């Protein structure tokens, strides 16, 4: 018997939506959550694919997440949109607020969206790529739980604090990156733990603040930022921009709010959308050609652009109309299904 299970893309979507609705999410939330998991799994980003259904179900079982919450969207200024998720998952609030964000960015050159009072579990690259599809450059940031020690520290104070950026390209996939400011995303450490694999050196410390390659010890200790003090400074910046700036929680406050329950982090998110045409004084086409020369020079010397691997995986999985997940994960997911 194979260690993996093959699912058709439609089967993947049906499995995700069914599990979510069987466990208390309404159809709108189930669809918006599944859209992100589907995108990640299709691109072979396993740490943010169907594996995240486990966290979604754990989160709603905690009794605090509202699986039927209707987001409140507020026009907060010429270049500001606020979306109150009302203790629901962030993704439905994002979906509802995107049209206003896009409209304001194209009118004013730049606009920001603050999503508040949301539970968040997902990758950020699908979110910024939605803005690139509308011809906008975009940045997104979120805190998480205090799973990461600052450079020189011995305990978790910062979140994994991902930063995502996307640049639109005419007739091509956008230039996109999305990375945690920790060495690993929390989901990656969890995958190592589930597989019984050792972590690389320099990724984590145990509960006593000592270096460890044991994923279980890392889960009970803290992860480390990439690039030492540089990654730590970026992570602190994200805490501020996606926390106090938008009147929401830091990663430490989010962890305290969870009271030890195994739920998705509860905090806010900031997205910034930028119109290349207005910012360049109407010279977007000419400057797009300059950007393409930059990309071409990078590729010409044997380097690859971020997300190239994802796009190859996407085309491969779309062509064969299937994805693969570990059999152990599939069997665990089936136990969450009630219908």
């Amino acid at each position: 018997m194979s260690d993996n299970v093959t699912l058709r893309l439609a089967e993947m979507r049906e499995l995700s939506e069914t599990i979510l609705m069987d466990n208390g999410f309404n159809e709108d939330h189930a669809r918006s959550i599944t859209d992100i998991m589907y995108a990640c799994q299709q691109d072979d980003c396993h740490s943010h694919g169907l594996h995240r259904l486990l966290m979604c179900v754990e989160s709603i079982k905690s009794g605090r997440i509202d699986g039927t919450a209707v987001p409140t969207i507020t026009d907060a200024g010429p270049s500001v949109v606020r979306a109150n998720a009302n203790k629901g998952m962030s993704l439905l609030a994002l979906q509802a607020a995107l049209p206003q964000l896009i409209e304001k960015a194209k009118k004013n050159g730049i606009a920001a969206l603050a999503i508040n009072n949301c539970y968040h579990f997902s990758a950020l690259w699908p979110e910024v790529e939605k803005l690139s599809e509308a011809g906008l450059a975009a940045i997104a940031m979120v805190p998480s739980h205090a799973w990461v020690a600052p450079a020189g520290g011995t305990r978790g104070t910062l979140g994994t604090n991902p930063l995502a950026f996307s640049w639109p390209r005419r007739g091509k996939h956008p230039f996109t990156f999305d990375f945690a400011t920790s060495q690993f995303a929390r989901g990656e450490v969890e995958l190592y733990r589930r597989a019984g694999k050792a972590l690389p050196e320099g990724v984590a410390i145990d509960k006593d603040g000592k270096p460890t390659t044991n994923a279980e010890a890392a889960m009970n200790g803290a992860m480390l930022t990439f690039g030492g003090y540089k990654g730590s400074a970026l992570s602190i910046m994200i805490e501020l921009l996606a926390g106090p700036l938008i009147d929401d929680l830091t990663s430490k406050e989010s962890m305290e709010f969870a009271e030890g329950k195994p739920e998705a982090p509860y905090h806010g998110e900031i997205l910034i959308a930028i119109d290349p045409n207005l910012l360049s004084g109407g010279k977007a086409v000419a400057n797009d050609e300059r950007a393409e020369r930059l990309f071409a020079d990078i590729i010409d010397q044997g380097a690859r652009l971020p997300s190239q691997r994802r796009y190859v995986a996407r085309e491969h999985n779309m062509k064969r109309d299937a994805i693969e997940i570990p059999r152990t994960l599939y069997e665990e997911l089936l136990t969450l299904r009630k219908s």
Side-chain angles (χ1 to χ4, degrees):
M1 182 182 293
S2 171
D3 290 338
N4 293 324
V5 172
T6 300
L7 295 175
R8 296 294 181 191
L9 297 181
E11 291 174 331
M12 173 176 66
R13 179 175 289 281
E14 189 272 337
L15 176 65
S16 176
E17 291 184 356
T18 299
I19 287 172
L20 291 166
M21 287 190 285
D22 281 355
N23 286 278
F25 292 95
N26 67 16
E27 186 175 353
D28 288 340
H29 276 286
R31 186 178 297 115
S32 65
I33 294 168
T34 295
D35 283 347
I36 296 294
M37 289 185 186
Y38 182 98
C40 291
Q41 197 70 59
Q42 183 179 243
D43 284 15
D44 284 351
C45 295
H46 299 285
S47 63
H48 288 80
L50 293 179
H51 164 69
R52 291 298 171 116
L53 284 168
L54 303 174
M55 177 178 280
C56 289
V57 172
E58 284 178 342
S59 297
I60 201 163
K61 282 182 176 178
S62 75
R64 292 195 290 195
I65 188 170
D66 186 348
T68 63
V70 178
T72 304
I73 311 303
T74 303
D75 184 338
S79 293
V80 179
V81 184
R82 295 184 66 85
N84 188 338
N86 293 315
K87 295 190 175 181
M89 283 291 189
S90 63
L91 299 169
L92 191 60
L94 170 71
Q95 188 179 80
L98 274 181
Q100 271 197 50
L101 177 64
I102 292 169
E103 180 183 356
K104 286 177 180 289
K106 290 191 172 182
K107 180 179 180 180
N108 299 307
I110 187 168
L113 165 62
I115 304 177
N116 295 109
N117 304 316
C118 67
Y119 288 86
H120 192 279
F121 72 93
S122 54
L124 294 178
W125 62 260
E127 302 182 7
V128 290
E129 284 194 357
K130 288 180 185 296
L131 292 165
S132 282
E133 289 169 6
L136 302 171
I139 301 168
M141 291 170 276
V142 291
S144 57
H145 276 343
W147 290 316
V148 182
T154 58
R155 64 179 182 272
T157 298
L158 307 172
T160 53
N161 295 5
L163 169 68
F165 171 79
S166 192
W167 174 271
R169 301 175 68 190
R170 297 173 188 274
K172 298 179 181 179
H173 292 300
F175 169 86
T176 305
F177 66 77
D178 176 3
F179 55 78
T181 47
S182 54
Q183 291 269 19
F184 270 28
R186 181 75 169 181
E188 289 180 284
V189 177
E190 171 64 12
L191 290 178
Y192 271 75
R193 186 192 69 79
R194 291 169 65 86
K197 294 169 57 179
L199 294 168
E201 297 280 354
V203 167
I205 54 177
D206 63 19
K207 60 184 177 61
D208 298 316
K210 296 180 179 178
T212 184
T213 59
N214 182 289
E216 186 72 37
M219 298 287 283
N220 294 320
M223 293 179 284
L224 301 175
T225 59
F226 78 85
Y229 287 94
K230 293 180 181 180
S232 186
L234 274 176
S235 185
I236 296 167
M237 179 194 76
I238 292 167
E239 291 280 346
L240 296 172
L241 293 180
L245 180 72
I246 62 169
D247 187 33
D248 222 305
L249 303 183
T250 64
S251 296
K252 190 168 185 179
E253 290 168 336
S254 174
M255 182 167 275
E256 290 168 352
F257 178 84
E259 298 178 328
K261 295 181 180 180
E263 59 190 25
Y266 180 68
H267 49 65
E269 175 179 0
I270 185 168
L271 292 97
I272 301 168
I274 307 165
D275 184 355
N277 194 51
L278 284 180
L279 266 290
S280 67
K283 299 177 181 178
V285 174
N287 284 295
D288 181 66
E289 292 173 357
R290 296 173 65 220
E292 288 303 317
R293 288 197 294 273
L294 171 65
F295 297 143
D297 189 63
I298 292 168
I299 294 169
D300 182 62
Q301 54 189 289
R304 70 176 177 86
L305 298 176
S307 293
Q308 281 187 328
R309 182 201 61 78
R310 279 200 304 105
Y311 298 140
V312 170
R314 181 186 304 177
E315 290 170 9
H316 172 70
N317 290 331
M318 288 180 67
K319 186 175 182 179
R320 67 182 183 132
D321 186 31
I323 55 95
E324 290 184 357
I325 61 172
R327 183 170 296 277
T328 53
L329 173 61
Y330 179 67
E331 291 173 352
E332 192 170 358
L333 292 177
L334 290 182
T335 68
L336 304 177
R337 200 169 173 165
K338 301 175 184 177
S339 62

